[in-house]
């Protein structure tokens, strides 16, 4: 896999220049589990941990890598492991307040372009919930896309959602 397929852009390349001079490589975080990360980059997928310096300098958990982040890593391909030394600036952040932390930010994903908000038109349909989710999505910097599903399970779904059913296009056969 190459960096462009992962979403690498000239903006990230510009932010990466100082790390390239230090001999580090760019990679994208694709999975996170308790301060252990799976990253993809110019090398095959690897397991990565953050450096002690990055952990020490992080003002909060929001400063540590999250899924979607571009990071500067020191890869060790022979071991299939890497060390993350820095997180590049994010262009979008999908976050929420972490439970029980006094309002600290918990980053769910970073550097995303679209957020799909899926809501069923069944008995649990709630327009105000969709409004709250839309606010979070817009505040993240990503473009929200609302997807309404389960229309086949509710007889009044179109009326409840204020949706006019689409008519099928005429067949050309």
């Amino acid at each position: 896999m190459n960096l462009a397929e992962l979403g690498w852009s000239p903006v990230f390349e510009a932010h990466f220049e100082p790390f390239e001079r230090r001999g580090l490589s760019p990679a994208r975080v694709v999975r996170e589990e308790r301060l252990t990360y799976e990253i993809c980059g110019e090398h095959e997928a690897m397991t990565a941990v953050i450096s002690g310096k990055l952990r020490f300098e992080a003002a909060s958990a929001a400063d540590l890598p999250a899924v979607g982040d571009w990071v500067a890593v020191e890869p060790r391909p022979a071991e299939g492991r890497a060390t993350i030394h820095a997180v590049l600036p994010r262009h979008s952040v999908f976050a929420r307040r972490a439970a029980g932390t006094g309002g600290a930010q918990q980053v769910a994903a970073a550097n995303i372009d679209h957020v799909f908000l899926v809501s069923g038109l069944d008995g649990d349909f709630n327009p105000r919930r969709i409004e709250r989710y839309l606010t979070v999505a817009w505040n993240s910097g990503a473009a929200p896309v609302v997807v309404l599903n389960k229309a086949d399970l509710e007889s009044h779904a179109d009326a409840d959602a204020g949706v006019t059913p689409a008519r099928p296009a005429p067949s050309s056969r």
Side-chain angles (χ1 to χ4, degrees):
M1 182 162 288
N2 67 46
L3 295 178
E5 290 173 333
L6 294 169
W8 188 249
S9 71
V11 172
F12 293 119
E13 192 168 343
H15 288 299
F16 188 74
E17 283 181 22
F19 303 108
E20 188 172 32
R21 288 193 292 270
R22 291 176 35 198
L24 300 176
S25 299
R28 190 150 196 198
V29 176
V30 295
R31 189 170 65 92
E32 171 192 0
E33 189 173 323
R34 299 182 187 185
L35 298 178
T36 300
Y37 305 88
E38 184 177 336
I39 59 168
C40 289
E42 296 167 331
H43 305 281
E44 61 187 50
M46 295 182 192
T47 300
V49 295
I50 56 176
S51 69
K53 181 179 179 186
L54 177 58
R55 184 176 300 156
F56 178 77
E57 291 178 347
S60 71
D63 295 331
L64 297 175
V67 172
D69 270 327
W70 284 98
V71 292
V73 302
E74 179 182 352
R76 297 185 303 281
E79 299 173 32
R81 302 186 61 78
T83 302
I84 300 172
H85 290 276
V87 178
L88 300 184
R90 298 167 172 149
H91 76 76
S92 65
V93 178
F94 194 79
R96 68 181 187 117
R97 285 188 314 218
T101 60
Q105 189 180 47
Q106 180 181 25
V107 177
N111 301 315
I112 53 176
D113 298 323
H114 297 89
V115 175
F116 289 86
L117 307 171
V118 181
S119 183
L121 290 172
D122 54 1
D124 193 33
F125 180 73
N126 185 329
R128 285 188 181 30
R129 182 183 315 128
I130 294 173
E131 289 173 359
R132 288 192 305 271
Y133 292 165
L134 280 168
T135 300
V136 172
W138 278 117
N139 289 340
S140 76
V145 176
V146 177
V147 178
L148 302 176
N149 68 355
K150 298 186 181 180
D152 59 328
L153 300 179
E154 183 65 33
S155 61
H156 304 292
D158 293 334
D160 291 346
V163 174
T164 303
R167 297 176 193 232
S171 177
S172 59
R173 292 186 213 190

